[in-house]
């Protein structure tokens, strides 16, 4: 059983399967198909979808809805992420579960609205003031658009933080043939919550810094306790604080809850060939051409290993180190001028590291991979 | 409330024990006391009241209340409040913001009013940025002296009330922090189902008062000079957004959501290798939908297909190019480096795909309309002249007619698959598409179509 479909449809189906109940977005190519489908589908499951007046409002509404118990998602492209920036920081600081889809398009500024690019990879990592760890997942196929959207919800709920799903124009809008049995459901954990009857308090303590990596349980607005939320540096009661030990505990907690548990998040598809001296590393739509090239190369008895990165952030360093064993040369392929190569270089230093890059709005072809294998 | 195991009413205050942090004489404390009195009058469950604040001195306010609270970014409080209200229409959501937040978040205020979302906005309006040095805000009167209007403010003050009243707010009030009846008006606003805004003028004793020798009297004079009305300015009955949304969509609730549209192979195919086909036409020429149909027909024939579209951001002008890969095997690469088959239908399309022509070989096929008969290429060229079609070619279906004729000639899968694919499409287009396909297939059977075939 097969279907003819695109990544936006798979992402929307993944969101619905993950129990998404709130969506707010603003029209932008090439992410608009997600907005339109969510506007159509969410009311059917009793959820709410709204087209906001701008991107700042879109993510703002999502943050408010998430704190009121919604499972929220928004979708945009690079220029929209620019406008999300400040609120991404708020979601990190206030520990808000939220899925943000970035359907990448080419270039800085308006760039190429209908053109593929992978130039937001470092932007999603460092796209807000203050500099805190972020989770970003990258599907490389239509079935992965489905499963990694579910995974993004799972991680957002698990770690009480915004999680990016980083796709691109090509994945989101190009029609593909998909075998239905390739769609894999991911179990989505519910955020931990507490009620007054459990803890015997009228006022909830929304943040916890001990242990430093702990993910605090939530209570929602309208539940049975008084609930506070803040984007300012705060104590565990969400009261503004500048007390150095408190602020230190807060900031270390925000980093540690992801960094200390990164092995729970790191995700790759490794296709390693014994004796291969070359490792190809890629992600997103580019990883598909990489797979095609490997089939062709291996058909000519050339040995090559592949690593498709699914958790762009945190960098899957354990899997990468293991994939590097016996490898002399690493090729990092991406539709930008080497943004993820920096990350690979940190881990693969000492080996020859080659970038395969395109920024002309076209895909890297299997032939281009074959030239460097 | 979901449950109420703890009895907390009647409440004498919604304030906590902490004293306000504001400067002596600052209006914020007076207004917050009025808000507290309004809550006491209403005896709302404090767990169901969410005070949403943003940035500036007034942004500190939520900490002094024993209600739920959200402290967010400058000017965006209205957006968080909207999200909370949309998710939980039963909650009383109260935004407290300054005139600074009104300026930077003005569009959110206008749009919240336009939607008539059921939140209450209290603007603590003291004409300047009291937290950052007394700079002028969007409500600073013309001539106001501030560190950023050293020779007097050149701009005119924003009439917040008129703005939201003109755009759908259902309760609009202007007053001052000195108004004795403010608690009643705040309570009225909270009880209003739709969007309520209170523009409350007050004194900033740190900056605006000393910089302008301002006073309560001067504040009243300014109101009069500007002829800004006070009191209850505007009230109208209108559907509240969160409730209206639920009513509007009640009938789709429970309907099945998106599910895979499985396409079963019911025809044979004759492809043992991938085939790259590019159709280059103009926007509005139904290029994408014609190619979508071929893709579905390929799946009906047991093949795999990918369709990659290229078009400018304009919708009904410019090029429209669809790239289709057909293969008996899984397709990992959706790009096309060199088409096996290229159709050029219009000048827009020609310009977009001309770069393919030098790459094409004698084994490749190029189908062009008469204006492009002379293009330089090594590919086999077939000139298609719609005027030679045995059946009249409908103008809107010309792309599908030509594509159908070409598909018939390529014989990768039976033409019946195209017809079946057309029947899978939206009903309103089925008849039109089937006609176009029939015209294309009939045409392909005529020898005239191929009389120009051969390498030029």
């Amino acid at each position: 059983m097969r279907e003819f479909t695109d990544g936006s449809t798979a992402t929307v189906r993944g969101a619905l399967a993950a129990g998404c109940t709130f969506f707010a977005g603003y029209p932008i190519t090439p992410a608009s198909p997600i907005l339109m489908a969510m506007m159509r589908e969410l009311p059917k499951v009793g959820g709410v979808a709204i087209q906001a007046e701008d991107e700042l409002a879109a993510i703002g509404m999502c943050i408010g809805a998430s704190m009121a118990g919604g499972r929220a998602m928004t979708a945009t492209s690079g220029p929209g992420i620019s406008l999300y920036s400040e609120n991404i920081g708020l979601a990190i600081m206030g520990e808000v579960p939220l899925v943000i889809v970035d359907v990448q398009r080419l270039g800085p500024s308006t760039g190429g609205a209908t053109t593929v690019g992978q130039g937001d990879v470092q932007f999603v990592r460092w796209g807000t003031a203050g500099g805190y760890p972020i989770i970003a997942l990258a599907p490389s196929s239509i079935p992965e658009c489905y499963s990694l959207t579910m995974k993004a919800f799972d991680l957002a709920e698990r770690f009480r933080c915004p999680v990016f799903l980083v796709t691109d124009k090509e994945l989101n809008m190009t029609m593909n043939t998909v075998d239905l049995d390739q769609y894999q459901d991911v179990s989505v954990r519910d955020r931990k919550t507490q009620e007054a009857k459990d803890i015997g308090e009228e006022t909830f303590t929304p943040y916890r810094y001990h242990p430093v990596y702990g993910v605090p349980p939530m209570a929602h607005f309208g539940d049975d306790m008084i609930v506070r939320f803040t984007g300012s540096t705060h104590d565990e009661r969400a009261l503004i604080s500048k007390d150095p030990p408190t602020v230190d505990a807060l900031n270390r907690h925000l980093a540690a809850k992801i960094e200390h548990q990164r092995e729970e998040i790191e995700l790759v598809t490794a296709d390693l060939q014994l004796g291969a001296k070359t490792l190809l590393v890629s992600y997103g739509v580019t990883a598909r051409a990489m797979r095609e090239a490997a089939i062709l190369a291996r058909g000519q008895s050339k040995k090559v290993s592949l690593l498709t990165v699914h958790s762009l952030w945190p960098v899957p360093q354990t899997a990468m180190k293991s994939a590097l064993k016996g490898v002399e040369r690493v090729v990092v392929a991406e539709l930008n001028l080497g943004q993820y190569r920096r990350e690979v270089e940190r881990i693969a230093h000492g080996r020859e590291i080659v970038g395969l890059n395109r920024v002309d709005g076209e895909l890297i072809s299997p032939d281009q991979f074959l030239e460097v294998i | 409330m979901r449950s109420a195991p703890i009895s907390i009413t009647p409440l004498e205050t919604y304030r906590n024990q902490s004293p306000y942090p504001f400067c002596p004489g600052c209006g914020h404390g007076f207004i917050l006391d009025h808000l507290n009195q309004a809550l006491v009058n209403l005896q709302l469950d404090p767990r169901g009241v969410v005070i949403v604040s943003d940035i500036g001195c007034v942004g500190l306010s939520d900490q002094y209340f024993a209600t739920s609270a959200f402290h967010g970014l400058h000017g965006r409080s209205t957006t968080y409040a909207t999200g909370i209200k949309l998710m939980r229409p039963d909650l009383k959501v109260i935004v407290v913001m300054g005139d600074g937040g009104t300026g930077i978040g003005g569009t959110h205020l206008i749009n919240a009013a336009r939607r008539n979302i059921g939140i209450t906005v209290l603007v603590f309006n003291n004409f300047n940025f009291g937290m950052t040095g007394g700079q002028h805000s969007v409500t600073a009167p013309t001539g106001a002296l501030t560190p950023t209007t050293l020779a007097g403010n050149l701009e005119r003050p924003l009439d917040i009330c008129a703005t939201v009243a003109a755009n759908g707010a259902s309760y609009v009030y202007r007053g001052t922090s000195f108004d004795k009846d403010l608690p009643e008006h705040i309570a009225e606003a909270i009880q209003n189902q739709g969007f309520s805004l209170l523009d409350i003028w007050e004194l900033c004793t740190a900056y605006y008062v000393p910089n302008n020798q301002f006073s309560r009297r001067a504040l009243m004079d300014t109101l009069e000079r500007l002829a800004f009305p006070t009191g209850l300015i505007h009230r109208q009955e209108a559907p509240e957004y969160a409730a209206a949304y639920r009513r509007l969509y009640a009938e789709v609730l429970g309907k099945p959501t998106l599910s895979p549209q499985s396409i079963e192979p019911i025809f044979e195919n004759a492809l043992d290798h991938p085939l790259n086909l590019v159709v280059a036409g103009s926007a509005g020429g139904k290029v994408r939908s014609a190619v979508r149909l071929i893709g579905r027909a390929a799946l009906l024939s047991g093949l795999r297909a990918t369709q990659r579209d290229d078009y400018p951001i304009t919708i009904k002008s410019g090029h429209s190019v669809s790239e289709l890969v057909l293969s008996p095997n899984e397709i990992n690469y959706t790009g096309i480096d060199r088409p096996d088959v290229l159709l050029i239908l219009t000048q827009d399309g020609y310009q977009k795909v001309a770069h393919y022509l030098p790459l094409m070989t004698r084994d490749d096929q190029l189908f062009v309309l008469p204006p492009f008969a002379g293009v330089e290429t090594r590919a086999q060229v077939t000139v298609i002249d719609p005027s030679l079609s045995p059946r009249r070619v409908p103008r809107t279906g010309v792309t599908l007619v030509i594509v159908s004729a070409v598909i018939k000639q390529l014989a990768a899968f039976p033409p019946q698959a195209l017809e079946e694919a057309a029947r899978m499409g939206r009903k309103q287009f089925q008849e039109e598409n089937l006609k176009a396909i029939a015209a294309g297939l009939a045409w392909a059977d005529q020898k005239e179509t191929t009389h120009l075939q051969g390498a030029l």
Side-chain angles (χ1 to χ4, degrees):
Chain A
M1 298 240 285
R2 292 177 187 160
E3 66 166 340
F4 194 41
T5 192
D6 60 19
S8 68
T9 307
T11 294
V12 169
R13 285 214 301 257
L16 293 167
C20 177
T21 53
F22 189 89
F23 182 93
Y26 183 80
I28 184 168
T29 306
S32 297
I34 298 175
L35 163 67
M36 291 187 282
M38 291 305 272
M39 294 294 284
R40 187 184 65 232
E41 299 299 323
L42 262 192
K44 298 179 187 172
V45 297
V48 176
I50 184 167
Q51 179 175 312
E53 57 268 26
D54 57 26
E55 281 91 347
L56 298 99
I59 185 169
M61 290 177 189
C62 285
I63 291 171
S66 184
M67 293 310 296
R71 205 168 266 191
M73 179 168 99
T74 183
T76 187
S77 188
I81 299 289
S82 303
L83 296 177
Y84 283 6
S85 171
E86 195 183 11
N87 266 316
I88 291 167
L90 182 74
I92 292 170
M93 184 61 126
E95 305 195 47
V96 183
L98 170 64
V99 173
I100 303 169
V101 183
D102 178 10
V103 185
Q104 297 171 99
R105 62 194 225 184
L106 181 69
S109 186
T110 307
T114 58
T115 319
V116 68
Q118 293 181 312
D120 297 350
V121 170
Q122 291 287 350
F123 182 40
V124 298
R125 172 65 187 84
W126 302 105
T128 195
Y132 281 85
I134 200 90
I135 300 174
L137 305 181
S140 64
S141 69
I142 307 295
E144 285 168 10
C145 284
Y146 176 80
S147 55
L148 291 187
T149 300
M150 294 190 77
K151 187 71 188 166
F153 275 97
D154 175 61
L155 294 174
E157 296 282 314
R158 161 75 179 89
F159 291 103
R160 232 189 122 167
C161 65
V163 174
F164 283 97
L165 185 81
V166 182
T167 75
D168 56 73
K169 183 261 174 183
E170 193 69 25
L171 269 177
N172 207 52
M173 296 183 78
T174 292
M175 300 290 287
N176 281 255
T177 305
V178 181
D179 289 305
L180 298 190
D181 59 12
Q182 287 179 352
Y183 289 112
Q184 286 179 358
D185 281 296
V186 171
S187 73
V188 179
R189 287 165 285 192
D190 291 325
R191 60 188 71 168
K192 273 190 288 177
T193 54
Q194 281 187 339
E195 292 179 34
K197 64 178 166 53
D198 304 326
I199 52 178
E201 301 281 346
E202 288 180 27
T203 301
F204 182 60
T205 304
Y207 303 111
R208 314 287 165 87
Y209 307 148
H210 307 285
V212 65
Y213 53 82
V215 180
M218 291 178 75
H220 302 132
F221 294 132
D223 285 355
D224 60 0
M225 284 179 284
I226 287 165
V227 178
R228 291 189 46 81
F229 169 96
T230 184
S232 296
T233 51
H234 51 269
D235 62 18
E236 295 188 341
R237 297 167 298 167
L239 297 174
I240 296 174
S241 173
K242 286 186 169 181
D243 171 48
T246 303
V247 173
D248 182 71
L250 158 67
N251 282 327
R252 289 182 189 282
H253 155 71
L254 292 178
K257 74 172 176 177
I258 291 169
E259 291 292 357
H260 282 211
Q261 291 157 132
R262 55 186 299 152
E263 296 203 350
E264 241 190 86
I265 307 165
E266 292 180 11
L267 198 62
V268 299
T269 300
D271 176 2
L272 308 180
Q273 198 172 15
L274 203 63
K277 300 289 179 213
T278 297
L279 172 69
L280 308 182
V281 178
S282 194
Y283 53 86
V285 69
T286 310
R288 300 184 66 187
M290 173 176 83
R291 283 203 280 278
E292 184 64 23
I295 293 168
L296 297 171
R298 287 167 182 171
Q300 298 164 17
S301 304
K302 288 180 188 160
K303 288 184 174 174
V304 65
S305 288
L306 314 180
L307 192 71
T308 303
V309 177
H310 295 305
S311 66
L312 291 171
W313 310 105
V315 176
Q317 51 195 32
T318 307
M320 208 175 280
K321 279 178 191 155
S322 138
L324 282 166
K325 280 177 194 145
V327 166
E328 292 168 0
R329 195 159 155 274
V330 185
V331 179
V332 186
E334 48 191 337
L335 300 177
N336 58 54
L337 294 176
Q339 292 187 17
Y340 211 67
R341 191 166 75 229
R342 297 164 58 94
E343 305 307 316
V344 177
E345 277 166 353
R346 278 194 305 111
I347 294 162
H349 52 83
R351 294 173 180 81
E352 186 191 352
I353 298 171
V354 183
L356 182 54
N357 308 92
R358 260 186 114 145
V359 288
D360 62 350
E362 298 294 333
L363 298 170
I364 296 172
S365 70
D367 284 351
Q368 285 184 279
F369 274 100
L370 288 175
E371 283 167 24
V372 295
I373 291 176
Chain B
M1 294 299 88
R2 281 173 185 156
S3 60
I6 305 161
S7 172
I8 14 188
T9 50
L11 277 179
E12 287 173 7
T13 182
Y14 286 71
R15 287 261 292 107
N16 56 26
Q17 304 295 315
S18 311
Y20 297 131
F22 308 119
C23 304
C26 168
H28 290 1
F30 299 118
I31 303 173
L32 291 175
D33 281 344
H34 291 318
L35 169 62
N36 180 48
Q37 189 56 50
L39 294 171
V40 170
N41 293 354
L42 294 171
Q43 282 298 310
L44 299 171
D45 184 331
R47 299 168 301 181
V49 175
V50 188
I51 295 181
V52 183
S53 71
D54 55 59
I55 299 300
C57 298
V58 68
L60 302 168
S61 305
D62 63 272
Q63 297 215 134
Y64 301 90
F65 282 78
T67 66
S68 289
F70 186 113
H71 172 60
L73 300 177
H74 196 28
R76 315 301 163 202
S77 42
T78 323
T79 70
Y80 313 126
T82 300
I84 294 166
K85 186 72 181 180
L86 283 173
M87 207 62 219
R88 289 294 300 269
D90 56 320
L91 302 183
K92 294 291 187 191
V93 186
I94 301 164
V95 173
V96 292
M97 70 195 303
D99 39 298
T102 301
I104 195 173
T107 187
H108 308 311
L109 273 181
I110 292 170
N111 285 285
R114 207 171 50 75
R115 294 184 187 106
N116 197 31
I117 183 83
I119 62 175
T120 300
V121 178
L122 273 64
V123 180
F124 292 53
N125 186 355
N126 61 13
F127 328 112
N128 73 167
F129 290 79
M131 190 176 255
T132 52
Q135 301 89 343
H136 72 289
S137 80
V138 292
T139 62
T142 309
L145 294 169
T146 75
T148 46
T149 52
L150 295 168
N153 185 21
L154 273 174
E155 303 170 10
R156 57 169 286 152
L158 175 74
D159 185 339
I160 305 169
C161 293
T163 305
V164 296
N167 285 291
S170 48
Y171 183 99
V172 183
Y173 173 91
R174 181 182 283 118
T176 75
S177 59
F178 308 107
D179 296 355
K180 293 278 179 285
D181 57 352
L182 201 51
E184 287 70 44
H185 290 292
I186 294 173
E188 242 173 34
I190 292 171
Q191 290 297 77
N192 174 41
Q193 295 299 307
F195 179 85
S196 306
L197 182 138
L198 299 96
D199 174 19
I200 306 163
W201 291 32
E202 48 151 355
L203 300 179
C204 173
T205 50
Y207 294 108
Y208 202 84
V209 165
N211 287 345
N212 293 277
Q213 282 85 54
F214 210 60
S215 61
R216 179 176 176 175
R217 165 53 58 93
L219 186 146
M220 297 302 179
D221 289 349
T222 306
L223 272 172
E224 205 172 300
R225 181 161 47 83
L226 289 168
F228 278 13
T230 55
L232 180 59
I233 292 173
H234 177 79
R235 184 155 203 182
Q236 67 174 21
E237 291 300 316
E240 190 279 322
Y241 187 92
Y245 183 94
R246 281 159 174 83
R247 283 196 301 275
L248 182 63
Y249 290 110
E251 66 180 62
V252 300
L253 189 63
K255 291 241 162 89
T257 55
L258 269 181
S259 58
Q261 301 296 306
S262 166
I263 299 179
E264 301 288 336
I266 50 176
F267 300 102
E268 301 288 315
N269 70 74
L271 268 193
D272 57 3
H273 61 278
L275 180 80
N276 294 334
L277 187 147
V278 175
V279 181
S282 290
K286 298 201 168 181
V287 171
R288 294 160 69 191
S289 58
V291 172
R292 179 75 57 98
L293 222 142
I294 309 177
R296 279 205 217 104
L299 265 74
L300 283 166
S301 309
L303 291 168
R304 291 165 188 272
T306 63
Q307 178 186 353
R308 181 180 190 228
D309 299 322
D310 182 56
Y311 47 89
I313 46 155
T314 50
I315 301 304
K316 294 273 186 187
S317 72
H319 69 275
S320 178
V321 174
S322 269
E323 302 193 335
L324 184 78
V325 180
L326 302 178
S327 175
N329 305 312
E330 184 160 2
I331 303 165
N332 283 312
Y333 176 56
T334 52
I336 289 182
D337 298 336
R338 175 180 62 79
D340 300 300
V341 181
L342 173 60
L343 277 73
I344 299 177
L345 305 177
T346 67
Q347 184 65 27
D348 290 327
Y350 168 71
Q351 282 171 344
K352 204 66 196 172
V353 298
H355 67 281
Y356 283 135
L357 293 170
L359 306 173
M360 295 178 77
T361 69
R362 284 180 183 283
D363 297 329
D364 300 328
Q365 298 191 59
L366 178 64
F367 295 87
V368 297
L369 261 58
F372 310 100
V375 295
E376 271 190 49
T377 178
R378 285 189 296 275
Q380 304 165 41
V381 180
T382 304
V383 179
I384 301 173
D385 185 348
S387 68
L388 296 179
S389 168
R391 296 193 196 174
R392 198 183 69 80
V393 176
R395 203 163 52 86
T396 53
V398 64
T399 304
L400 186 53
V401 172
I402 294 169
V403 163
S404 300
V406 170
I407 286 294
K408 176 86 187 278
Q409 196 161 335
L410 293 173
F413 52 79
Q416 290 84 349
L418 275 180
E419 293 165 342
E420 187 61 28
R423 285 187 206 102
M424 293 169 62
R426 276 196 277 173
K427 284 218 160 46
Q428 61 189 113
F429 302 120
Q430 277 182 20
E431 199 182 328
E432 182 185 318
N433 285 345
L434 284 167
K435 265 189 196 160
I437 292 166
L441 297 181
W443 190 10
D445 289 337
Q446 303 255 325
K447 286 193 176 138
E448 284 89 326
T449 45
T450 52
H451 75 291
L452 283 172
Q453 185 168 332
L456 293 176

